Amino acid sequence: MGECDWLLFTIFLYLYCGQRDTVVTNAGRVESDAGTSSLRRGAQLKRKFPDLIFQSVRGNLNTRYTKLVDADDYAALVLAVAGVVRMGWKERISEYLGDDVCMYAVGQGALAVECREEDAATVELLSPLCHRDTTLRTVAERAFMRTLEGGCSAPVAVHSKITEDGELHLKGGVWSLDGKEELVDKKSTSTTANDDEHDSSEPIVKRPKTPPENFCGLVPLRACEFSMSQAYSLGLTLAENLLEKGARKILSDAKAGNAAVS
């Protein structure tokens, strides 16, 4: 496939509460060991629950669940709500983790559709699928991650929401691998001003291959380009605040520690 010039985000209603993480337990096991393959989850939960033992668990959800129930390797698994629900396992969820316990990964629960820029007919077909709030939240989260130069090799997490009055709230944090070091901050911005000036009923037009602005890989959507800019600035500013407080060293140490055991 060629270069991707459009990313349109949509999210189903049952996934809109699926950004969170969840706990699935083995009721017959008395040990206090939990399985997670995520450095992000492990670091946050080690800080909150220092008496618990967190072990790595690999494989797809079916494999992990087998290790939990049949192999009896763990007392609990920490998983993404979105994945558990997609598997039809909602009744197996023992507890939902709020952002005060475990913030989620950047973009968790969002579904992306890619389309070639020059395929105007397909772009027009897909455009109604774009969910504005999810797009803005994802832009802010991705800007936060990119500014920190984070990734799966270091614990970085976020929590975002848009209130009824159009205020976008973003909370983000970084942790050491053992959870002992933590930097968390939050900011907000309005996402309503100036968007009404854009007419979303305008016909789809071809975008240049290199648009004037690109929000972490997301091409601006006419109907909410100003708000996307606001969301991007929010994520960037929040990350810069954490970097000023020492986030770079925490992340650098975490990446080095992870590389040493990989």
Side-chain angles (χ1 to χ4, degrees):
M1 293 181 62
E3 180 181 355
C4 172
D5 298 296
W6 278 78
L7 278 178
L8 304 178
F9 277 80
T10 183
I11 196 163
F12 295 104
L13 292 179
Y14 80 94
L15 282 177
Y16 202 61
C17 61
Q19 296 89 359
R20 295 177 294 173
D21 289 321
T22 185
V23 176
V24 178
T25 60
N26 178 352
R29 189 175 174 89
V30 297
E31 289 84 355
S32 58
D33 52 341
T36 177
S37 59
S38 165
L39 298 177
R40 168 188 59 82
R41 295 179 183 127
Q44 293 182 80
L45 295 174
K46 286 174 185 176
R47 183 176 182 86
K48 293 288 185 180
F49 308 101
D51 295 332
L52 296 183
I53 300 170
F54 293 93
Q55 301 186 60
S56 178
V57 57
R58 299 293 179 181
N60 59 34
L61 284 181
N62 278 315
T63 300
R64 296 185 193 191
Y65 190 73
T66 298
K67 291 179 179 180
L68 173 70
V69 178
D70 296 336
D72 199 31
D73 291 341
Y74 308 93
L77 295 177
V78 187
L79 304 167
V81 171
V84 175
V85 171
R86 279 200 296 267
M87 291 293 290
W89 295 352
K90 188 173 182 180
E91 73 282 356
R92 297 178 182 178
I93 294 176
S94 303
E95 183 177 354
Y96 294 91
L97 302 180
D99 61 283
D100 58 329
V101 175
C102 188
M103 289 190 283
Y104 53 80
V106 167
Q108 184 167 316
L111 301 178
V113 180
E114 297 179 338
C115 178
R116 295 186 304 275
E117 173 206 21
E118 64 271 16
D119 192 347
T122 302
V123 170
E124 186 173 7
L125 180 67
L126 293 175
S127 292
L129 297 177
C130 182
H131 188 272
R132 178 182 180 276
D133 285 4
T134 301
T135 300
L136 298 181
R137 292 171 60 181
T138 304
V139 167
E141 294 175 9
R142 286 166 66 91
F144 176 76
M145 172 73 83
R146 187 169 78 172
T147 305
L148 289 175
E149 299 180 356
C152 59
S153 61
V156 176
V158 294
H159 179 269
S160 66
K161 65 179 180 180
I162 295 182
T163 56
E164 291 184 359
D165 61 356
E167 195 79 4
L168 171 58
H169 297 263
L170 179 66
K171 180 165 74 168
V174 301
W175 291 261
S176 58
L177 292 179
D178 59 10
K180 292 181 179 179
E181 293 183 90
E182 175 190 65
L183 282 177
V184 176
D185 203 351
K186 57 186 177 181
K187 289 185 71 67
S188 64
T189 188
S190 174
T191 65
T192 56
N194 288 6
D195 269 350
D196 291 339
E197 297 176 3
H198 300 270
D199 183 3
S200 60
S201 65
E202 295 176 6
I204 298 292
V205 295
K206 184 176 179 179
R207 295 275 185 170
K209 285 188 177 296
T210 305
E213 288 188 90
N214 189 296
F215 303 115
C216 298
L218 306 184
V219 173
L221 302 174
R222 291 187 315 278
C224 56
E225 185 168 348
F226 176 80
S227 294
M228 290 177 74
S229 176
Q230 292 292 94
Y232 180 87
S233 296
L234 176 66
L236 186 150
T237 302
L238 182 60
E240 289 178 338
N241 288 352
L242 292 185
L243 289 172
E244 290 176 358
K245 296 177 182 179
R248 193 180 306 280
K249 184 178 187 308
I250 293 177
L251 292 174
S252 177
D253 290 347
K255 291 176 181 178
N258 184 50
V261 299
S262 297

